[in-house]
Amino acid sequence: MEIIKPNTFIQDELQKKIDQKTKPIGALGQLEKLAFQIGFIQQSLEPRLTLPHIIVFAGDHGIALEGVSAYPQEVTYQMVMNFLFGGAAINTLATQHHIDLMVVDAGVNYNFGNTPEYVDAKIDFGTKSFLHEPAMSVEDAQKALDKGAQLVRDIHKLGTNVIGFGEMGIGNTASASMLMHCLTEIPLEDCIGRGTGVDDAQLKNKVHILSNALHKNGVPNSVLETLSTYGGFEIVMMCGAMLEAARLQMIVLVDGFIATSAYLAAFKMDRQIEHYAIFCHQSDEKGHQLLLDYLNAEPILNLNMRLGEGTGCAVAYPIIQSAVNFLNQMASFESAGVSEKVD
């Protein structure tokens, strides 16, 4: 099913309502753009944000075993346990802003057994190292896309109309860099950053490893093949979830570099997703600004964050609420009896 572009008939009415609030035209800056976009998505002059959710997808990466990260692979499952026990940044921020949190095992190299409070959507126990072979089969990539879509359908049935996406996976900045290069043709070295905080020598090694992987595998011919060659299960599942959220005409909140790489793949599959996406922040990861520029995306925040987990979505959410609230609650010149600008 294709994503449907919202009907443009409401745009003039939306802009008129925004412009007639008791303020100079454009004085609320990006809040006005957000209010317009959300009203456009919902086809309403009185949009609402209901039951906000953030999904954190977790997966392990074979490429992490090649020395591209400052942390060992087992940190992925350890951080998932931290999410489940409420100790991570995303737990704190989601609780603060009354956002429901779903933690999804898309492909962690760990058996969580009967651990409560997480969703088992595991495709496999981590990907293979794309330095030597494709990260996953095309069939498994399609399974990940489908599972991501199903998760969003389940959340949508609850009445949710705004959903954010985060991730956890040691080595996943390497995957995101490869996806970015293959899908944008931006030089690979410009796509590679420090990830979890590698030093200069480790960064040089990371560039060397990813360059060798590109030499071995090349640039695949399709988005699905690119995802299967260089992706992670959490990135591919997030891509499928983003596509489905847009198909269901939900507001799609995009987090940082990894989430934007998943969005990039979704965008290449169906460009109509751009109408539904709000980019929450500019990550401090090197390639993110270039990727945002490529997508012509204007992020809400720039706080030098690079944690992932959906933290940018959670921090930006009250600003999104402010955009909706001013549209719905702020007086117009007419209702307040305030004189408008003299022509």
Side-chain angles (χ1 to χ4, degrees):
M1 185 173 70
E2 293 182 351
I3 298 169
I4 298 172
K5 178 182 177 180
N7 196 311
T8 58
F9 83 92
I10 200 171
Q11 290 182 325
D12 289 344
E13 291 180 85
L14 268 171
Q15 193 61 57
K16 182 178 179 181
K17 183 177 181 181
I18 291 168
D19 290 346
Q20 289 187 344
K21 297 297 183 180
T22 48
K23 58 171 183 61
I25 290 177
L28 283 177
Q30 198 168 347
L31 288 182
E32 297 190 22
K33 295 179 181 180
L34 287 169
F36 181 91
Q37 182 181 5
I38 293 167
F40 181 51
I41 290 170
Q42 296 187 4
Q43 298 286 282
S44 174
L45 298 177
E46 296 181 350
R48 295 286 185 269
L49 303 175
T50 58
L51 294 176
H53 274 68
I54 290 176
I55 308 179
V56 181
F57 295 95
D60 272 308
H61 293 252
I63 195 67
L65 303 178
E66 311 291 346
V68 297
S69 174
Y71 289 85
Q73 189 182 72
E74 56 264 29
V75 169
T76 302
Y77 87 78
Q78 291 167 352
M79 280 302 300
V80 171
M81 296 300 293
N82 194 25
F83 298 150
L84 299 178
F85 287 104
I90 188 56
N91 299 99
T92 300
L93 297 170
T95 298
Q96 177 185 358
H97 300 305
H98 307 290
I99 302 170
D100 287 332
L101 186 66
M102 175 185 283
V103 180
V104 176
D105 174 9
V108 180
N109 187 25
Y110 186 78
N111 185 354
F112 291 96
N114 294 320
T115 305
E117 306 303 326
Y118 90 111
V119 174
D120 182 2
K122 192 190 296 287
I123 305 296
D124 203 346
F125 288 85
T127 59
K128 299 177 176 64
S129 172
F130 58 71
L131 180 61
H132 307 293
E133 58 187 311
M136 67 189 80
S137 68
V138 171
E139 292 75 19
D140 279 349
Q142 187 61 56
K143 286 180 185 177
L145 290 171
D146 294 342
K147 286 198 173 186
Q150 183 60 57
L151 289 169
V152 168
R153 285 195 292 272
D154 292 342
I155 291 173
H156 181 257
K157 289 175 184 176
L158 303 175
T160 295
N161 66 8
V162 53
I163 185 166
F165 297 96
E167 43 61 43
M168 175 63 214
I170 296 299
N172 64 8
T173 60
S175 279
S177 298
M178 298 301 290
L179 296 176
M180 177 179 168
H181 166 71
C182 291
L183 296 175
T184 67
E185 298 183 355
I186 293 171
L188 179 59
E189 191 165 347
D190 292 338
C191 303
I192 302 171
R194 295 184 183 274
T196 50
V198 297
D199 60 26
D200 288 347
Q202 291 170 319
L203 179 60
K204 184 177 180 180
N205 183 57
K206 183 177 180 180
V207 172
H208 177 71
I209 289 169
L210 298 190
S211 297
N212 285 346
L214 181 64
H215 180 73
K216 177 177 177 57
N217 297 304
V219 176
N221 294 321
S222 70
V223 179
L224 183 60
E225 289 173 340
T226 302
L227 288 169
S228 68
T229 302
Y230 297 115
F233 291 124
E234 83 283 24
I235 295 174
V236 182
M237 203 170 288
M238 190 190 307
C239 175
M242 288 177 171
L243 285 166
E244 188 65 18
R247 291 184 192 112
L248 294 170
Q249 298 176 301
M250 302 168 77
I251 300 164
V252 176
L253 305 182
V254 184
D255 192 38
F257 181 55
I258 314 302
T260 308
S261 75
Y263 172 85
L264 172 66
F267 174 76
K268 291 292 185 177
M269 290 179 172
D270 192 331
R271 296 193 173 218
Q272 298 301 327
I273 194 174
E274 66 182 356
H275 302 292
Y276 298 90
I278 294 175
F279 294 83
C280 292
H281 79 119
Q282 180 185 322
S283 169
D284 205 35
E285 183 66 12
K286 178 181 176 181
H288 197 215
Q289 178 61 66
L290 290 174
L291 185 48
L292 290 170
D293 289 344
Y294 176 85
L295 293 165
N296 196 28
E298 185 178 5
I300 296 173
L301 300 170
N302 184 352
L303 299 176
N304 299 321
M305 295 168 62
R306 54 179 179 85
L307 179 59
E309 301 178 7
T311 50
C313 298
V315 173
Y317 185 68
I319 296 175
I320 296 166
Q321 287 179 305
S322 295
V324 170
N325 289 343
F326 103 74
L327 182 62
N328 290 334
Q329 299 171 18
M330 186 176 175
S332 67
F333 285 104
E334 181 179 5
S335 67
V338 175
S339 298
E340 296 190 52
K341 180 181 177 182
V342 178
D343 290 332

